[in-house]
């Protein structure tokens, strides 16, 4: 879209307010709203206080610019229909008008441009899971799920069906192509899948998706959370990432001459991801709580393995033909910042192709039922078991450091180190119930 298209859209749809949205380094969505009379000024950017946003400017360089990406223009369907509200996703620029290195969107754009320089297009299809909880009389979330349904259950057992259906309809109104929605394994857990897209669009869609899910849940008197593991004895929420790499219209992961249809390029891409996956985990699983999901017994990956169709490894290769060939990375959770995760996964995969990094041997059998000795013989390492351990890996990985850039890399580490310190120094209910009486 160009500026005239935007002005025409605003007039034709009676838009009175426009939300200018962006994402901070931790993956939280932010916005400032303007009236339609100021949209022309906003085309060239509007100033905001970057020092108040996580990972952005310091106090002495707080004036930053939000510049809207006009192709992201969309109506917000749940707002009033008289005097409508639209949204534009923005890039963040520094005071001098150059792209800000700490902007997550800019970090992904750099990675995408480097891939494009080699002739590649990176496509991504996420599978986003979330929980729905009841709220109290004040609208605050409780720790009660809204149902006790299980995998693929339907109404009347699945009490979230109406909310989930409205989420799908709102998303379709905003341009999403919804492929499937269903109840997941745990009580009150759901999944909505939407069509893959080019990496930047996919990351934008993930952020919009999370906003829509939370708003629609609130309308139904529920609280939606993308917290990875609310219950210790039930499955957690993941955000599996389906990835494909195209070049000149051809899917680089597909090889019809191979008995399993997987190309050598795909193997190298896996090898590159595995070479950096421990550092990537600090981004793809960004919370203290994330590591309560990455344990045995709940279908989340633990070991650095890959296989065809098998659902126990870290990377699964689904059954496919032709252009549908893809890799499914199963470790990320929906609390992550998608811009950062897609940027580092792409950079690692391309390094694998460039350096021809072979992955370990393909997993045969169920990783959850194999002994550590058997997995060791396959050279199958393990993902970090805590945020602290993952941050140690992140700190010593030069590729991830370079992909994020100094500003984002340092600030992300600082924020997450502080988060781990707060958790480690807190006294938890488990400690009181376990130790208070007997020691």
């Amino acid at each position: 879209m160009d500026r005239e298209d935007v002005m025409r859209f605003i007039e034709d749809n009676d838009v009175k307010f426009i939300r200018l949205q962006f994402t901070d380094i931790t993956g939280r969505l932010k916005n400032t709203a303007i009236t339609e009379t100021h949209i022309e000024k906003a085309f060239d950017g509007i100033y905001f206080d970057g020092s108040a946003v996580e990972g952005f400017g310091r106090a002495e360089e707080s004036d930053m610019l939000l510049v809207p990406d006009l192709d992201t223009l969309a109506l917000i369907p749940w707002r009033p229909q008289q005097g409508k509200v639209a949204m534009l996703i923005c890039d963040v620029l520094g005071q001098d008008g150059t792209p800000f290195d700490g902007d997550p969107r800019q970090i992904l754009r750099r990675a995408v441009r480097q891939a494009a320089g080699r002739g590649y297009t990176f496509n991504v299809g996420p599978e986003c899971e979330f929980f729905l909880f009841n709220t109290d009389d004040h609208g605050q979330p409780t720790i009660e799920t809204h149902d006790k349904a299980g995998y693929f259950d339907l109404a009347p057992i699945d009490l979230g069906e109406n909310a989930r259906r409205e989420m799908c309809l709102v998303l379709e109104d905003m341009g999403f192509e919804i492929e499937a929605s269903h109840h997941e394994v745990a009580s009150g857990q759901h999944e909505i899948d939407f069509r893959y897209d080019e990496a930047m669009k996919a990351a934008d869609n993930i952020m919009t998706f999370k906003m829509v899910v939370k708003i629609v849940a609130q309308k139904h008197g529920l609280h939606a959370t993308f917290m990875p593991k609310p219950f210790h004895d039930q499955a957690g929420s993941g955000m599996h990432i389906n990835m494909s790499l195209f070049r000149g219209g051809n899917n680089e992961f597909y090889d019809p001459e191979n008995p399993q249809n997987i190309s050598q390029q795909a193997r190298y891409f896996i090898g590159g991801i595995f070479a950096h996956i421990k550092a990537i985990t600090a981004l793809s699983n960004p919370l203290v709580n994330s590591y309560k999901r990455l344990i045995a017994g709940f279908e989340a990956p633990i070991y650095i393995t890959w296989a065809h169709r098998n659902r126990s490894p870290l990377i699964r290769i689904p059954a496919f033909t032709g252009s549908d060939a893809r890799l499914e990375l199963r470790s990320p959770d929906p609390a992550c910042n998608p811009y950062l995760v897609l940027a580092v996964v792409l950079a690692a995969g391309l390094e694998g192709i460039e350096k021809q990094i072979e992955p370990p041997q393909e997993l045969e059998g169920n990783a959850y039922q194999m002994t550590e000795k058997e997995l060791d013989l396959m050279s199958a390492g393990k993902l970090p078991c805590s945020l602290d351990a993952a941050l140690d890996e992140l700190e010593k990985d030069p590729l991830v450091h370079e992909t994020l850039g100094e500003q984002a890399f340092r600030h992300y580490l600082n924020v997450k180190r502080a988060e781990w310190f707060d958790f480690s120094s807190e006294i938890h209910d488990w400690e009181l119930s376990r130790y208070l009486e007997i020691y």
Side-chain angles (χ1 to χ4, degrees):
M1 299 185 74
D2 60 24
R3 298 183 180 195
E4 290 184 3
D5 294 329
V6 172
M7 297 304 296
R8 191 179 306 112
F9 179 93
I10 288 172
E11 183 177 352
D12 290 348
N13 290 279
D14 187 32
V15 172
K16 296 300 181 185
F17 293 91
I18 301 97
R19 287 184 180 176
L20 303 180
Q21 299 181 179
F22 61 103
T23 302
D24 73 10
I25 198 70
T26 66
R28 295 182 64 181
L29 194 62
K30 305 288 184 179
N31 89 105
T32 184
I34 60 172
T35 63
E36 90 282 5
T37 57
H38 288 81
I39 186 63
E40 289 187 89
K41 295 180 181 178
F43 287 147
D44 295 316
I46 63 166
Y47 282 100
F48 75 105
D49 181 5
S51 66
V53 179
E54 198 70 78
F56 284 15
R58 298 170 295 181
E60 64 270 26
E61 49 189 31
S62 59
D63 288 336
M64 308 187 81
L65 281 167
L66 287 179
V67 179
D69 180 341
L70 304 187
D71 287 334
T72 65
L73 179 66
L75 288 174
I76 298 179
W78 60 85
R79 300 300 297 157
Q81 294 305 294
Q82 184 175 5
K84 295 177 183 176
V85 180
M87 56 170 273
L88 281 163
I89 297 174
C90 296
D91 295 309
V92 181
L93 276 59
Q95 295 182 54
D96 59 358
T98 59
F100 173 55
D101 287 343
D103 175 20
R105 213 163 180 262
Q106 175 61 23
I107 291 167
L108 178 55
R109 180 174 286 110
R110 286 199 306 265
V112 167
R113 284 177 176 168
Q114 288 172 0
R118 304 182 197 181
Y120 293 121
T121 299
F122 187 47
N123 291 330
V124 175
E127 300 175 21
C128 297
E129 297 173 343
F130 57 93
F131 281 87
L132 293 177
F133 285 87
N134 292 322
T135 55
D136 62 20
D137 293 340
H138 302 288
Q140 297 301 305
T142 68
I143 55 173
E144 289 184 353
T145 58
H146 71 302
D147 67 32
K148 301 298 181 184
Y151 195 55
F152 274 31
D153 278 341
L154 66 162
I157 301 173
D158 173 12
L159 300 180
E161 189 177 79
N162 289 338
R164 201 170 63 241
R165 181 171 58 246
E166 186 175 345
M167 291 168 189
C168 292
L169 293 174
V170 170
L171 288 165
E172 287 184 333
D173 284 346
M174 299 182 76
F176 284 66
E177 184 177 331
I178 303 299
E179 294 186 333
S181 71
H182 58 86
H183 199 285
E184 260 294 341
V185 174
S187 300
Q189 188 183 34
H190 303 267
E191 177 175 318
I192 298 176
D193 301 329
F194 47 91
R195 191 177 189 274
Y196 74 88
D197 217 315
E198 179 273 330
M200 182 66 76
K201 178 65 174 174
D204 288 343
N205 284 344
I206 291 168
M207 296 305 301
T208 300
F209 170 85
K210 292 198 282 188
M211 175 180 67
V212 168
V213 166
K214 284 182 171 290
I215 293 293
V216 174
Q218 192 176 53
K219 286 180 59 181
H220 285 258
L222 299 167
H223 175 77
T225 181
F226 293 96
M227 178 181 174
K229 185 81 169 179
F231 304 110
H232 79 278
D233 59 350
Q234 295 196 54
S237 290
M239 188 182 76
H240 298 180
I241 297 175
N242 293 274
M243 306 170 288
S244 59
L245 199 65
F246 277 72
R247 189 174 196 173
N250 297 317
N251 190 334
E252 290 289 289
F253 291 167
Y254 178 62
D255 180 4
E257 303 300 320
N258 184 292
Q260 295 179 312
N261 291 340
I262 181 175
S263 71
Q264 184 61 55
Q265 298 287 72
R267 291 176 61 92
Y268 290 150
F269 201 89
I270 295 171
I273 291 174
F274 281 4
H276 300 279
I277 191 59
K278 292 183 180 181
I280 290 171
T281 301
L283 301 165
S284 61
N285 305 87
L287 309 182
V288 170
N289 180 256
S290 297
Y291 297 83
K292 309 295 177 68
R293 170 179 164 259
L294 300 179
I295 61 172
F298 296 97
E299 299 187 6
I302 304 168
Y303 295 96
I304 303 171
T305 56
W306 68 282
H308 287 76
R309 291 176 285 281
N310 188 335
R311 292 182 181 271
S312 64
L314 174 60
I315 289 183
R316 182 176 82 97
I317 303 176
F320 59 75
T321 57
S323 62
D324 292 332
R326 63 191 186 277
L327 309 176
E328 180 186 358
L329 180 63
R330 302 178 61 254
S331 56
D333 67 52
C336 73
N337 184 326
Y339 300 102
L340 304 185
V341 174
L342 296 186
V344 296
V345 166
L346 175 57
L350 291 181
E351 183 189 70
I353 292 175
E354 181 182 349
K355 295 184 177 180
Q356 299 186 352
I357 302 173
E358 282 282 358
Q361 68 183 82
E362 182 176 354
L363 176 69
E364 299 289 344
N366 188 334
Y368 303 131
Q369 298 173 355
M370 298 175 72
T371 66
E372 290 208 22
K373 184 176 181 180
E374 290 173 318
L375 289 158
D376 286 343
L377 290 174
M378 295 176 53
S379 301
K382 293 182 72 172
L383 294 176
C385 60
S386 69
L387 178 61
D388 187 44
L391 292 171
D392 287 343
E393 297 291 342
L394 175 66
E395 196 158 20
K396 62 187 182 185
D397 192 301
L399 176 82
V400 176
H401 189 161
E402 181 182 354
T403 303
L404 295 181
E406 184 66 22
Q407 165 86 15
F409 180 80
R410 288 297 166 198
H411 196 89
Y412 188 88
L413 269 173
N414 291 340
V415 168
K416 292 300 172 179
R417 289 289 190 198
E419 185 175 331
W420 176 257
F421 177 81
D422 287 346
F423 168 75
S424 301
S425 58
E426 183 68 50
I427 307 302
H428 301 275
D429 289 343
W430 182 91
E431 296 172 272
L432 295 173
S433 64
R434 189 69 171 254
Y435 304 134
L436 188 63
E437 185 176 348
I438 62 176
Y439 288 103

